[in-house]
Amino acid sequence: MNYLVFDIGGSSIKYALMNEEAKFLDKGKVPTPSVGKIALYETLASIFAQYEDVAGIGISLPGVIDPVKGYAYTSGALNYYNDTYFVKELEDYVHVPVTIGNDAKCAANAEIGFGVLQDVDDAVVVVLGTGIGGCLIKDHKVIIGKHFSAGEASVIMTDYRKEYLYDHLWCNRSGIVGLLAHVQEALGTNDQYSGEEIFAMANKGNEKVIAGIDAFTYEIAVQLFNIHTWFDSEKIAIGGGISAQPLLFELLNKNVDGIYEELKKYYYPCSKPVVVKCQYGNDANLVGALYQHLTRTK
């Protein structure tokens, strides 16, 4: 059987026709409507109408999502499907089973079902992007949490000083803003750079930029240890746009190793986190939406 999956983002909706083995049969992208949920439903339904014999629809979307009830409490930056029985309303348009899930949790489901976490029971997924996404996995299942926000790492506080609270939320320290801040500090400049420009300079051997990325990955390594100490995961999978950069993983693993060797000196009872790269990259939310759909409708 074939399934239609969607990844609803702030600016665009990615979609794909897939089979049960997560093979892509077709894929595309359209702009995300900005005018309200009816326009969103109509957009999804129009894409659905392009295909025949679709057994069901799986959707990754931003916000606080109850995948069991099919209910969206919030809608992230879109802000127009808050407090909505999303599944019930969309099924009136498409007349096939629909499932929904939070985007970070869908990214984790992709790795559980078809990727680098197929062989583990307990794991952590951290998504490095504009901010930070996170997910905890226990007994090979995503932990949703009583308030549907388990593993949402973005508001981990990295500094105790109240006057700097916002600046020191993990989403700001280890998202793209934090990467830029570390590189600017290393270069002694306020110039603006994109993530692509930063890694291009580093890959050409700019030692100051490399030092900035090194400091950036050290902060990430510290928080990975904090999470690992509480959860004792088998693997920590890193995803998101900048995770595709080999230098990021090289420096991140160097800092994980360094912290572990330092802790060993004091006989602290903590194992070293096993840090791996997510397999599915930009397709993670689509693949995860499929896996969640298959496991929830069987």
Side-chain angles (χ1 to χ4, degrees):
M1 290 189 289
N2 296 334
Y3 299 86
L4 185 60
V5 292
F6 293 98
D7 176 14
I8 299 173
S11 59
S12 65
I13 299 171
K14 294 189 288 186
Y15 64 90
L17 185 70
M18 305 178 74
N19 64 18
E20 292 184 64
E21 288 74 43
K23 179 181 178 181
F24 284 85
L25 306 174
D26 191 28
K27 65 193 307 188
K29 182 169 70 171
V30 298
T32 303
S34 59
V35 293
K37 66 179 182 179
I38 300 303
L40 177 63
Y41 295 152
E42 290 174 345
T43 298
L44 301 179
S46 68
I47 296 170
F48 170 76
Q50 299 174 21
Y51 300 101
E52 296 180 356
D53 300 322
V54 173
I57 294 174
I59 302 176
S60 161
L61 68 173
V64 177
I65 307 298
D66 181 344
V68 177
K69 289 170 56 178
Y71 189 84
Y73 287 91
T74 66
S75 53
L78 292 175
N79 204 36
Y80 57 57
Y81 54 78
N82 298 335
D83 298 314
T84 296
Y85 281 98
F86 195 101
V87 166
K88 181 179 179 181
E89 293 182 6
L90 180 58
E91 285 181 344
D92 288 340
Y93 287 78
V94 296
H95 307 296
V96 296
V98 175
T99 57
I100 60 174
N102 167 267
D103 45 12
K105 291 177 172 58
C106 281
N109 271 313
E111 303 304 329
I112 294 171
F114 304 102
V116 298
L117 302 179
Q118 292 182 75
D119 61 341
V120 303
D121 293 319
D122 303 336
V124 176
V125 173
V126 174
V127 180
L128 305 175
T130 303
I132 294 278
C135 186
L136 300 176
I137 296 157
K138 181 68 178 174
D139 298 328
H140 208 63
K141 294 180 180 179
V142 169
I143 299 175
I144 298 172
K146 292 296 184 182
H147 304 96
F148 314 104
S149 57
E152 290 290 349
S154 58
V155 293
I156 287 177
M157 300 175 200
T158 65
D159 194 288
Y160 66 91
R161 291 169 289 184
K162 291 182 180 179
E163 62 268 29
Y164 300 120
L165 178 60
Y166 179 79
D167 290 338
H168 287 275
L169 296 179
W170 197 25
C171 59
N172 294 321
R173 294 298 302 174
S174 295
I176 191 63
V177 172
L179 173 61
L180 175 61
H182 280 93
V183 170
Q184 286 175 326
E185 182 178 355
L187 290 172
T189 181
N190 291 320
D191 291 348
Q192 300 292 309
Y193 303 102
S194 67
E196 291 82 2
E197 290 170 330
I198 289 170
F199 281 98
M201 290 187 289
N203 291 330
K204 289 179 180 178
N206 188 314
E207 293 185 3
K208 290 184 178 180
V209 174
I210 293 171
I213 299 172
D214 187 31
F216 172 72
T217 58
Y218 178 81
E219 286 207 29
I220 296 172
V222 167
Q223 298 305 333
L224 296 185
F225 262 93
N226 287 340
I227 294 168
H228 180 66
T229 300
W230 278 105
F231 193 61
D232 193 19
S233 58
E234 295 171 74
K235 289 182 181 178
I236 299 178
I238 307 295
I242 62 174
S243 70
Q245 295 287 341
L247 179 61
L248 180 113
F249 260 82
E250 177 186 331
L251 294 174
L252 178 58
N253 276 303
K254 182 206 79 169
N255 283 310
V256 167
D257 290 345
I259 292 171
Y260 179 65
E261 291 303 318
E262 187 68 19
L263 290 175
K264 276 174 58 178
K265 295 178 184 178
Y266 305 103
Y267 305 101
Y268 286 123
C270 178
S271 62
K272 186 173 77 170
V274 177
V275 181
V276 299
K277 185 166 73 171
C278 287
Q279 178 174 328
Y280 281 101
N282 290 331
D283 289 329
N285 293 356
L286 292 171
V287 175
L290 171 70
Y291 181 73
Q292 179 174 272
H293 185 83
L294 293 175
T295 55
R296 289 205 170 275
T297 55
K298 284 183 178 178

